[in-house]
Amino acid sequence: MCSGSCNSKKLSSSSAVFRQQQQQQQQPAHASMTLRRKRLRLRRRETARRSSDGAEMVMLNLKLYLENRCILAENEMLREKATALRRENLALRADLCKTSPSPAPAAASSC
């Protein structure tokens, strides 16, 4: 009879352990769903942030591109002006050399 009572205690204690294990398994599953939802929310926020950052980067890139184009156009215009001034300078030098008498050979070589 003693052995029977021992077996019944083992059975009741093993069933209690089994119930505890089931409860422990259920709790992480519940926490897991909470974590999944939290991760999903974080992923959505991250995606939304990336898309807004992406839009901001596109706008910044466009602004910089347009500013660069303006600078290139201005640079080309200044290059043309510099070329025209150089040509005018050479023409004025040529006229100056033709009209002024050259008393010394050193003065003629400067023209």
Side-chain angles (χ1 to χ4, degrees):
M1 181 117 176
C2 184
S3 65
S5 67
C6 237
N7 283 339
S8 67
K9 284 183 183 178
K10 284 184 181 179
L11 183 61
S12 65
S13 66
S14 66
S15 64
V17 171
F18 181 71
R19 284 186 206 138
Q20 286 177 350
Q21 287 176 352
Q22 282 183 336
Q23 288 174 354
Q24 288 175 355
Q25 287 176 356
Q26 289 173 356
Q27 288 174 353
H30 178 61
S32 149
M33 284 300 288
T34 306
L35 286 175
R36 283 187 206 157
R37 286 184 187 132
K38 188 174 181 179
R39 287 181 190 141
L40 181 61
R41 267 188 263 125
L42 289 173
R43 195 177 307 139
R44 285 180 184 160
R45 285 182 192 161
E46 182 67 21
T47 304
R49 187 185 64 81
R50 283 183 185 167
S51 66
S52 67
D53 286 350
E56 290 173 9
M57 289 300 290
V58 168
M59 287 303 294
L60 180 63
N61 191 21
L62 181 61
K63 286 178 183 178
L64 290 173
Y65 172 77
L66 292 174
E67 185 178 350
N68 191 28
R69 293 297 295 175
C70 288
I71 290 171
L72 288 172
E74 186 178 0
N75 190 17
E76 186 62 32
M77 182 180 65
L78 289 172
R79 187 178 289 125
E80 289 172 1
K81 278 186 180 180
T83 304
L85 287 172
R86 187 171 187 278
R87 271 190 251 128
E88 183 181 354
N89 190 13
L90 290 173
L92 289 172
R93 259 195 201 159
D95 284 346
L96 183 65
C97 284
K98 286 179 186 176
T99 58
S100 67
S102 54
S109 63
S110 67
C111 290

